[in-house]
Amino acid sequence: MNNVSLKPLPLSILASTVAMTMATAAVAQAERVIDVSLPLGPESQQGVGILKFGEELERLSEGRLSIEPHYNNALGAEREVVEGMGFGIIDAGITSTGPMGGFVDQFMLFDLPYIFENNEHVYAFLDSEHGEDLATLAEEQMNVKFLAWMENGFRHNTNSVRELNSPEDLEGINHRTQESRVQVDTWEALGANATPMAWTEVYTALQQGVMDSQENPLATIYDVNFYEVQDYLNLTQHVYSPAPLMMGLDLFNSFSEEDQAIILEAAQIALPYQRDASQELEERYLVQLEELGMTVTHPDLEPFREAVRPVIEQWSSTVGEDLVEAALNFEY
């Protein structure tokens, strides 16, 4: 057997090779594409906000951090997405707060009817210590990190039966709610037959006549083409629906402090941009939905508020009486 002697590499080449290997490893470790789940499409009020978040994330991190949006519930329904983030199966997502009341009672605040008067009211409340407290509860009980209180907007009723000028007009109408006990009580108090249903099933249920009615912000009603299966748009403005941008807490904590700060800053830059886009889309889609054939009504809201007052009283102790009072009476 021949002994072959290998000459050692020159120190300069060895040092250069080690440096290149270390640099490559550092880049590989630092770069991260964050998968983000959305219930709606890229042109929706949600999509606009998420794309702005991704743009700012790349800018602030100089390209090390980026996002991959997954539209139209491609990663699962909203409840599954919230659970997936908590378990570390899904990186991040934007969902309504509807399913969250099943995890944290205080989030049922956003299912209670006629708590918030307008956008200025709700923004002031969410951007205060009350929004911070709710975000902390989400960390503690759902294992998710709130990055920004983005929005779906104020919700309105659509149905395929009749105009709604008073609560009595809901009698006999089969109405879909989110998976929320408060929402079921609300619509039953208004006179409808309320049934919880997963978001992914709603369009088909309306199309087939299994359900007559649903409620959502105008941008969502347009984005999902509900005008194809619903004749009447009733501007009930009964509930404000946040759509918080969240990340799995374990994933967030795995980032360096520098990158955590970048993620939070990108989300906060995107927040007012998303809210402005949401309001702008609402104005635009109100006109377009009418042009597409929907009959639009502007009912007197006081009889609706009066009809659901017992629901607020019934659920205040569960949600937290102090929290409900703080929201109702928040100065803005």
Side-chain angles (χ1 to χ4, degrees):
M1 182 175 180
N2 294 327
N3 292 325
V4 179
S5 60
L6 298 176
K7 293 183 179 180
L9 291 170
L11 289 178
S12 59
I13 296 177
L14 183 61
S16 176
T17 302
V18 170
M20 288 176 62
T21 302
M22 292 178 65
T24 301
V27 169
Q29 184 178 10
E31 289 182 349
R32 176 64 195 256
V33 178
I34 301 167
D35 289 309
V36 183
S37 171
L38 296 88
L40 300 176
E43 295 181 0
S44 68
Q45 73 274 38
Q46 300 172 356
V48 169
I50 293 302
L51 292 174
K52 180 64 173 176
F53 168 65
E55 175 187 314
E56 293 299 322
L57 193 64
E58 288 196 47
R59 180 182 68 82
L60 292 168
S61 68
E62 298 180 340
R64 290 186 300 103
L65 302 177
S66 61
I67 66 166
E68 180 68 33
H70 297 267
Y71 299 110
N72 299 312
N73 291 302
L75 300 184
E78 289 185 318
R79 183 183 181 88
E80 295 168 345
V81 169
V82 173
E83 290 177 330
M85 286 186 287
F87 292 137
I89 302 170
I90 294 174
D91 291 345
I94 185 169
T95 80
S96 72
T97 53
M100 297 182 195
F103 303 101
V104 182
D105 286 344
Q106 286 86 341
F107 277 88
M108 287 190 281
L109 172 72
F110 303 107
D111 295 328
L112 291 174
Y114 297 108
I115 295 294
F116 299 104
E117 295 180 356
N118 51 42
N119 291 103
E120 289 73 20
H121 182 183
V122 75
Y123 294 162
F125 178 81
L126 290 175
D127 296 340
S128 73
E129 69 277 8
H130 299 293
E132 294 175 5
D133 290 344
L134 287 165
T136 299
L137 287 172
E139 289 188 26
E140 296 171 349
Q141 299 185 41
M142 295 191 292
N143 203 40
V144 297
K145 176 71 176 180
F146 272 44
L147 306 181
W149 282 101
M150 292 186 179
E151 73 170 16
N152 277 328
F154 278 98
R155 303 172 78 93
H156 306 281
N157 173 272
T158 70
N159 73 77
S160 56
V161 181
R162 66 180 73 95
E163 297 180 17
L164 301 185
N165 293 300
S166 70
E168 288 74 23
D169 292 326
L170 278 158
E171 185 175 350
I173 287 180
N174 295 321
H175 176 80
R176 175 264 175 180
T177 73
Q178 293 177 290
E179 299 172 73
S180 161
R181 295 168 290 164
V182 180
Q183 290 187 24
V184 171
D185 286 350
T186 296
W187 287 96
E188 288 183 346
L190 289 169
N193 303 320
T195 303
M197 178 178 287
W199 172 242
T200 49
E201 303 171 13
V202 176
Y203 185 93
T204 301
L206 295 170
Q207 186 179 44
Q208 296 176 348
V210 176
M211 288 289 162
D212 304 316
S213 172
Q214 68 85 45
E215 43 84 46
N216 260 296
L218 295 180
T220 305
I221 292 167
Y222 182 89
D223 187 78
V224 185
N225 299 337
F226 279 142
Y227 54 85
E228 296 174 344
V229 292
Q230 301 272 268
D231 297 323
Y232 303 99
L233 169 59
N234 307 287
L235 301 180
T236 48
Q237 195 175 321
H238 50 278
V239 158
Y240 175 84
S241 180
L245 172 59
M246 298 167 283
M247 179 178 286
L249 183 59
D250 294 338
L251 173 60
F252 182 80
N253 288 337
S254 73
F255 286 101
S256 67
E257 289 187 6
E258 176 188 358
D259 283 349
Q260 288 179 6
I262 286 173
I263 291 167
L264 291 173
E265 183 178 354
Q268 289 305 308
I269 292 173
L271 177 59
Y273 185 88
Q274 193 269 343
R275 287 175 173 175
D276 289 345
S278 177
Q279 292 185 52
E280 188 177 307
L281 287 173
E282 181 164 294
E283 294 177 6
R284 182 194 311 171
Y285 290 147
L286 179 58
V287 174
Q288 293 185 5
L289 287 167
E290 194 163 18
E291 291 175 347
L292 286 163
M294 297 193 82
T295 299
V296 178
T297 63
H298 299 260
D300 177 8
L301 299 184
E302 191 52 40
F304 290 84
R305 292 192 183 98
E306 190 61 34
V308 298
R309 211 174 297 277
V311 178
I312 298 175
E313 295 172 359
Q314 175 188 345
W315 283 97
S316 285
S317 59
T318 302
V319 176
E321 292 180 359
D322 290 345
L323 180 61
V324 173
E325 286 299 315
L328 281 168
N329 301 310
F330 196 83
E331 294 186 7
Y332 61 96

